[in-house]
Amino acid sequence: MTIQTFTSYLESLSKTASRNEMTVVLAKLLSKSSSDEVDKVCYLLLGRLTPKFEGIEFQMATKSMIKVIALAYGSNVDEVTKIFKQKGDLGVVVAQLQPKADRPLADVGKRAHQGEPLQITTVYDKLLKIALEEGSGSVERKIFGFSELLKSLDPLSAKYMVRIPVGALRLGFSDMTLLDALSWMAMGDKSLRKLLENAYNVSADIGLIAKAFKEKAGKGIVHLKATPGIPIRPQQAERLGTAEEMIEKLGTSVAEWKLDGFRVQVHIISSKLKIKSSKFKTQRKQMQLGEKRSDKEVQIFSRSLENTTHMFPEIVGEFRKLDVGSAILDGEAIGYDPKTSKHLPFQETIQRKRKHGISDIAQKIPLRYYAFDLLSLNGESFLEVPFNERRKKLAELFEKKGKKLDPKTVTIAEQVIVSTPEALRKQFDESVKQGFEGIMVKKREAVYTAGARNFNWVKFKHMGVGKLADTLDCLVMGYYAGQGKRSGFGIGAFLVKV
DNA sequence: ATTGTCTGCCCC
DNA sequence: ATTCTGC
DNA sequence: GCAGAATGGGCAGACAAT
């Protein structure tokens, strides 16, 4: 598939408002893609080059892309910046600048116009090469490389490629719609969405799923299940205003303290569990990244599925002691004061989010992991098991014989059963008194709906700064130019003085 | 070395 | 993370 | 109610500039 064909689909998608229509268009695009292209097509549609947990970023955004455009079209940073402020979208800036670029039109988009059309895989490879540039001089190489790429593209492709690194594709759909489209491609309806979503939830690599689906239809993905080493998309919580609504919606439920730390998914991988599929190259990479070879590997993933194992040496160390083959746990990690053992505010905990000097900061700000869910144990997935049973298994895991885990570093989240709004409020008041962020209220019968935000879990938080008062007297000091939809209005946000 | 600028599907 | 919008 | 777009505050990483 040529890049022109691809971007003509993007153009038609951006003009489509109905998600159902988008699904049909996407299905056609996916069906026209070869199985060698379809993974790259998926990543590009979502404004990326690889799945999140690969950790490959452009390290380019608005400022860099303005330089790219200036360089490619013989303009300058001031002029491009000025047009960008008017239009609010670098893609539109490119569309405007391209026709009057000072280099001859025959040179701009030359190959595209002279019977040597650029393939989408070629463009993808160039983008990847730019993203992978690092070290001294890499900023310059990225900017020069991208400007060369732009010059080789037809106007429409240039418009969309520029939007990718700045994260401004804004096509109006995302991963879930793409899964619908895969189903539509095969069946002409959304009947396979559940199957595809299930595969995606336990193996959050949409390109891999599209490819497997394309090659072997349903059979290619149906075997995918929760696998230690591959992150599971975390369940998220909804919000409700009152305790009454919560009890009405969830019935008798379970309350846990809401901790203001990092969401942490712990994977324990037995060395006996060899990786079977060679397709999971990321997994192999992660295995190599593991601290050192031992009988037990521990990998940790963030809420956004980044591999953040390096941030949590003390938690990794504790879980290595656990007498278990393999397991996946969900929980929250929060910093504490080593003297008083009290929890620290998020601003302190966040200092653990770093790559270098972890052992130094770990002395100052040790972390404690509160496990609240068990998603898989010794190869058996618990995603479809009701919460109260998962919780029972989790407790059993912590009571196992063998080396005891240090409760200062790894412990299990406390629970209280609540069946009335009064009891819920009492628990909430107690949480505030003890300095927690509030409580999490969870439905006891609910399965773990990976990746979804629903009323299986509800957060009961005290009112934040935004709710201190309903009104506030302000003085308008200025405004910011809006982007995307807000660019037409001219104002994206006001700067005010209280 | 130190300081400045830009970036992050960042973390919340 | 929150808030808003279209469907 | 879902999915997606557009916002914020604050922190550390990666280079560039000095």
Side-chain angles (χ1 to χ4, degrees), chain A residues 355-460:
Chain A
K355 205 163 166 181
H356 308 300
I358 273 290
S359 52
D360 294 342
I361 196 81
Q363 298 289 317
K364 221 176 92 195
I365 305 176
L367 290 179
R368 179 145 59 231
Y369 183 61
Y370 286 87
F372 55 64
D373 218 321
L374 182 63
L375 310 185
S376 161
L377 182 65
N378 296 327
E380 188 187 351
S381 170
F382 289 168
L383 296 177
E384 303 298 325
V385 172
F387 180 48
N388 50 3
E389 290 178 37
R390 298 202 303 274
R391 167 68 199 208
K392 224 176 276 173
K393 303 264 191 192
L394 179 65
E396 285 168 19
L397 186 66
F398 273 75
E399 284 154 17
K400 257 188 174 260
K401 293 189 191 73
K403 281 187 214 164
K404 272 276 174 213
L405 300 186
D406 181 356
K408 262 185 145 39
T409 304
V410 172
T411 186
I412 188 166
E414 287 175 62
Q415 288 194 324
V416 176
I417 292 180
V418 283
S419 43
T420 65
E422 292 72 33
L424 203 51
R425 267 194 295 272
K426 190 180 151 228
Q427 199 61 22
F428 173 74
D429 291 342
E430 184 59 27
S431 82
V432 174
K433 205 168 118 193
Q434 291 194 34
F436 293 102
E437 215 194 353
I439 53 176
M440 297 295 296
V441 186
K442 297 182 178 177
K443 199 168 172 174
R444 294 183 303 170
E445 309 79 27
V447 300
Y448 188 93
T449 42
R453 183 194 300 279
N454 57 34
F455 293 96
N456 289 350
W457 295 3
V458 172
K459 54 187 146 190
F460 195 164

Side-chain angles (χ1 to χ4, degrees), chain A residues 13 19 22-23 26 30 42-48 52 169-182 193 200 206 233:
Chain A
L13 284 164
R19 203 183 316 283
M22 289 177 190
T23 306
L26 283 167
L30 293 169
C42 285
Y43 302 135
L44 291 173
L45 283 169
L46 297 177
R48 297 197 286 267
K52 296 160 225 198
L169 226 33
R170 281 189 289 252
L171 295 171
F173 66 88
S174 190
D175 43 6
M176 291 302 144
T177 312
L178 212 40
L179 293 177
D180 274 341
L182 280 170
R193 159 71 183 267
Y200 182 53
I206 208 160
R233 300 177 61 232

